[in-house]
Amino acid sequence: MCGIAGIIWNSEEKQAGATIGRMTDAIAHRGPNAEGHWVEGPVALGHRRLSIIDLSTEANQPLWDATGRYAIVFNGEIYNFSAIREELSGYPFRTKGDTEVILAAFQRWGESCLHRFFGMFAFAIWDKQERQLFMARDRMGIKPFYYFHDGEKFLFGSEIRALLASGLVPKEIDPQGLQDYLSYQTVHAPRSLVQQVFQLRPGECATLKDGRLNIKTWWKLAPDEKREVAGDYETIKKEVRELLLRAVERRLVSDVPLGAFLSGGIDSSAVVALMSETAGRQVDTFSVVFEEPRFDESYYANLVAKRFNTRHHPMLLKATDFLDALPDALRAMDAPSGDGVNTYVVSKVTKEAGVTVALSGLGGDELFAGYSHFLYFLKLNRAGFFWRIPRWLRLGGAMAGGSLMKRHQKGRLLEIAGAAGPAIAEVYPAMRKLLSREEIRQVAGRSSDQYPDAVQFLLRQDAAIHQLPLLSQLSVADISTYTQNVLLKDTDQMSMAHALEVRVPFFDHALVEYVLQIPDSFKYPTYPKKLLVESLHPLLPDEVVFREKKGFDLPWKIWLKTDLRAFCEERLASLSARNILNEAFIADLWRQFLSGRNDNLWSRIWIFVVLEDWLRQNMD
């Protein structure tokens, strides 16, 4: 895991070397083990290294291939690099790591090498002979890739702050990105909150030559062609278990200490169970322990740790530890997010315990219908009579029925009731919104007629998505919007703030491709994540499977009114003074929150606080 950066000027007269150092300094936290630069006239590549595989200095980057034609900067891990290396037996390898394997594979197979990789990655390869840059991002979007292109110069980096540190990127807010953030507490790829700063989408690659950028999709979450899953339920369970076992096994490759997060929930317990089965050694597990019973899940984590004989490391945290870490957590945000503080604190204490790589259970809910809105989506699609009611009548009923609802719930209900039908692109975006379309119009002064990027993605993929079972349609929507743009983004920026690499077996692409094709009848969650649990039976204890889910349900709503009140009010006032948002709307939202009237979600206020904090650090 590392940080990458680069600059390519169109003109030979320009010098890139003066800037690349500032860019890599801005992402030094991502790679404390080594720093490297290569500069040749208008081209510069930069790298910050977190050493995971092949710890020798020979593996430092930028790394050149044996011919001296290609140079790479790479962030991530290729888990099957050893197998690919065997296919490249004629190549004169100088290192033992995965970076040189990417170079050799690209030299042999070109762009098609991407389809051979199991892993998480974002990389750029400079072709010195053709004066061309090739870039790629992994299938699931686990690793970030940002870029800026104005026709005269092209900059790229692992984080927005690397681009801003160059001094070459105008510090201007993207209005559409701002609306996206206020709607969904994040900005969806390909956009960012900074004008002209974009992201490669998951599963995209690109080439830059003679100042022209060409982007293409090399992998799709929802495939164009319909696939069928063969076999009965017993066959499917065996295949799910085998695919997940292989996914965990791939992610155990490391030359540094490796462990696993263990909350005591189904997903993290499944990962730990399979690690214990395949690791060939005692597994180190890490869990957070709270003194407050309403937060603490240590009973279940200890139960799993004992069952699989792990070397367990409970880490005691007080709820106030999250408050104390808040300033540092906000500084760690490369892109503003309504979430992420929890991940920052857990990553911090895990790194302090001596681990550099940790496996996570993130992704289990998305793949195996673990969220409550999976069943809600099924109900919407089975309520044929509802969608035959005229739209005006549906809206009237929603207005009446929503009169006693909380403000955010009423807005969501109205958008769903006014949809053209229960299709995923029609109803899903409303399920994840913090502010409704009307509220965005009020606070931003206008509401763009352009669909948000999240909705545009679903509309473009509509035909492919509708070939999938209904539960899988929602999985695609969740993964491609909330998961990739909130959860995975937060995991990357908050773990890398502590130089901790987090690996996510549930997002192994072979597992994802298979599970998305499984019929709803086999995946229907009659109890939490039934298919996953029964595929691993009898590994998971019943106490874990059927327990009440707690998670990190910290009292942010209370803190915003007490410990963090002055902090919030100062930033809300400062944000209002910028004249980019409606001051009266923000003030009214804050008053309602403090009074308890309509009981707004605390996150509806928090997104404004975080936005102002981020603007101070990055745009002023």
Side-chain angles (χ1 to χ4, degrees):
M1 199 71 69
C2 306
I4 63 176
I7 313 170
I8 296 92
W9 287 90
N10 289 349
S11 171
E12 291 288 343
E13 298 175 0
K14 298 289 186 179
Q15 291 293 316
T19 308
I20 195 67
R22 294 197 300 272
M23 295 178 72
T24 53
D25 285 347
I27 53 173
H29 52 278
R30 298 184 70 94
N33 300 130
E35 179 180 20
H37 302 114
W38 172 80
V39 182
E40 187 174 88
V43 180
L45 301 177
H47 192 261
R48 295 292 312 211
R49 186 182 182 199
L50 175 61
S51 303
I52 302 292
I53 298 172
D54 187 351
L55 309 184
S56 71
T57 57
E58 286 293 314
N60 287 348
Q61 300 177 42
L63 186 68
W64 288 88
D65 79 309
T67 69
R69 174 176 173 175
Y70 301 107
I72 187 173
V73 284
F74 162 51
N75 169 32
E77 303 291 348
I78 305 299
Y79 304 124
N80 64 330
F81 77 94
S82 294
I84 297 173
R85 182 176 176 133
E86 291 180 4
E87 295 185 65
L88 299 163
S89 56
Y91 185 89
F93 286 99
R94 294 171 289 116
T95 68
K96 298 179 180 178
D98 52 352
T99 306
E100 193 175 14
V101 169
I102 298 175
L103 273 176
F106 182 76
Q107 183 192 75
R108 173 79 62 87
W109 299 301
E111 176 191 313
S112 64
C113 71
L114 297 172
H115 297 280
R116 298 172 181 263
F117 298 154
F118 278 81
M120 52 182 182
F121 53 84
F123 64 81
I125 296 177
W126 174 249
D127 183 340
K128 189 174 182 180
Q129 178 177 305
E130 294 294 326
R131 310 291 294 174
Q132 176 174 287
L133 187 72
F134 176 77
M135 300 149 277
R137 191 178 181 196
D138 66 71
R139 299 169 179 85
M140 302 304 296
I142 300 170
K143 294 292 101 188
F145 192 102
Y146 292 94
Y147 67 90
F148 169 86
H149 186 218
D150 66 357
E152 181 186 11
K153 56 189 173 293
F154 181 87
L155 290 80
F156 69 86
S158 294
E159 298 185 3
I160 295 173
R161 74 185 91 207
L163 304 185
L164 295 176
S166 70
L168 301 174
V169 176
K171 293 185 176 182
E172 299 175 0
I173 296 174
D174 184 303
Q176 190 66 34
L178 179 59
Q179 291 187 39
D180 203 24
Y181 170 74
L182 296 176
S183 297
Y184 297 107
Q185 66 181 319
T186 189
V187 183
H188 293 83
R191 207 176 296 273
S192 80
L193 198 54
V194 183
Q195 191 115 26
Q196 291 186 275
V197 172
F198 295 94
Q199 308 173 60
L200 283 184
R201 291 186 180 95
E204 283 188 340
C205 61
T207 55
L208 178 78
K209 185 171 184 178
D210 298 328
R212 292 189 297 272
L213 181 66
N214 180 42
I215 301 175
K216 62 182 292 187
T217 299
W218 67 272
W219 185 86
K220 292 182 178 180
L221 183 59
D224 291 330
E225 70 282 358
K226 187 174 183 179
R227 303 169 185 169
E228 299 289 345
V229 171
D232 57 11
Y233 189 47
E234 291 303 314
T235 302
I236 288 172
K237 287 192 298 181
K238 289 178 182 177
E239 187 67 16
V240 168
R241 189 189 192 285
E242 181 64 21
L243 285 168
L244 187 53
L245 179 65
R246 296 285 81 81
V248 169
E249 187 177 38
R250 288 186 189 102
R251 285 154 181 80
L252 298 181
V253 57
S254 175
D255 293 332
V256 295
L258 178 148
F261 295 137
L262 178 58
S263 69
I266 291 173
D267 302 332
S268 65
S269 299
V271 170
V272 168
L274 295 175
M275 284 179 72
S276 300
E277 186 172 313
T278 191
R281 57 175 174 77
Q282 192 174 26
V283 174
D284 285 278
T285 52
F286 299 83
S287 66
V288 172
V289 176
F290 292 105
E291 292 177 336
E292 297 89 342
R294 58 179 170 154
F295 305 142
D296 189 50
E297 299 182 297
S298 60
Y299 169 80
Y300 303 102
N302 291 335
L303 185 72
V304 174
K306 184 176 181 180
R307 179 164 186 150
F308 298 106
N309 189 33
T310 73
R311 188 183 297 109
H312 193 50
H313 307 267
M315 300 173 292
L316 178 64
L317 285 177
K318 296 180 180 179
T320 52
D321 289 331
F322 290 82
L323 287 173
D324 295 338
L326 182 61
D328 289 337
L330 291 175
R331 280 191 292 271
M333 283 187 182
D334 176 56
S337 169
D339 206 345
V341 178
N342 296 346
T343 305
Y344 178 89
V345 175
V346 173
S347 296
K348 180 177 183 290
V349 295
T350 302
K351 182 68 175 183
E352 289 172 349
V355 168
T356 303
V357 178
L359 271 65
S360 165
L362 193 154
D365 283 316
E366 290 83 348
L367 268 189
F368 293 96
Y371 295 129
S372 59
H373 60 251
F374 277 87
L375 292 179
Y376 179 60
F377 180 64
L378 285 183
K379 290 177 182 178
L380 285 176
N381 276 269
R382 291 171 178 172
F385 69 95
F386 178 77
W387 300 107
R388 290 191 292 271
I389 298 172
R391 181 176 179 273
W392 65 268
L393 196 55
R394 279 187 268 130
L395 282 171
M399 286 286 287
S403 59
L404 299 178
M405 287 184 171
K406 299 173 185 177
R407 181 172 171 177
H408 68 280
Q409 292 173 329
K410 182 178 179 180
R412 186 177 301 162
L413 176 64
L414 287 173
E415 288 197 25
I416 292 174
I424 196 75
E426 292 286 342
V427 300
Y428 176 79
M431 294 181 186
R432 284 293 188 186
K433 276 190 176 181
L434 282 182
L435 299 183
S436 69
R437 187 184 300 113
E438 174 59 23
E439 287 175 318
I440 293 296
R441 187 193 64 76
Q442 293 176 32
V443 71
R446 63 186 179 89
S447 182
S448 173
D449 293 332
Q450 182 179 350
Y451 284 118
D453 289 312
V455 180
Q456 288 189 49
F457 170 85
L458 297 177
L459 289 171
R460 284 194 307 272
Q461 302 291 314
D462 185 71
I465 291 173
H466 274 80
Q467 294 183 114
L468 298 171
L470 284 171
L471 290 174
S472 293
Q473 290 181 29
L474 193 58
S475 290
V476 169
D478 255 338
I479 292 170
S480 59
T481 57
Y482 176 71
T483 308
Q484 290 176 342
N485 294 278
V486 178
L487 297 183
L488 287 175
K489 185 183 291 185
D490 285 347
T491 297
D492 175 79
Q493 61 186 4
M494 293 307 189
S495 62
M496 290 308 295
H498 304 288
L500 174 73
E501 175 175 298
V502 176
R503 299 176 178 178
V504 283
F506 280 108
F507 282 153
D508 183 279
H509 73 269
L511 175 66
V512 170
E513 289 173 346
Y514 182 79
V515 174
L516 288 181
Q517 305 299 324
I518 296 174
D520 291 341
S521 58
F522 296 139
K523 203 170 13 175
Y524 188 88
T526 50
Y527 60 85
K529 287 168 273 196
K530 172 179 176 288
L531 174 59
L532 173 61
V533 171
E534 294 183 0
S535 296
L536 299 181
H537 184 77
L539 283 180
L540 303 181
D542 286 347
E543 295 95 325
V544 168
V545 173
F546 298 105
R547 73 181 180 88
E548 181 183 356
K549 188 173 183 178
K550 293 183 180 179
F552 290 114
D553 188 21
L554 296 173
W556 291 102
K557 176 180 173 180
I558 297 172
W559 288 340
L560 264 60
K561 296 179 181 179
T562 54
D563 303 70
L564 293 176
R565 179 166 178 167
F567 180 89
C568 292
E569 289 183 336
E570 192 273 334
R571 279 158 178 76
L572 291 175
S574 180
L575 178 63
S576 296
R578 293 180 183 271
N579 294 319
I580 59 175
L581 296 172
N582 186 319
E583 178 181 359
F585 179 92
I586 296 174
D588 182 58
L589 198 65
W590 180 239
R591 281 194 298 270
Q592 288 194 43
F593 177 78
L594 291 178
S595 69
R597 181 164 50 91
N598 219 8
D599 197 22
N600 292 302
L601 287 176
W602 67 270
S603 51
R604 285 162 55 86
I605 284 292
W606 188 240
I607 56 172
F608 292 102
V609 176
V610 171
L611 175 62
E612 170 59 22
D613 199 273
W614 185 86
L615 290 172
R616 290 182 181 186
Q617 295 182 50
N618 295 280
M619 302 291 275
D620 288 346

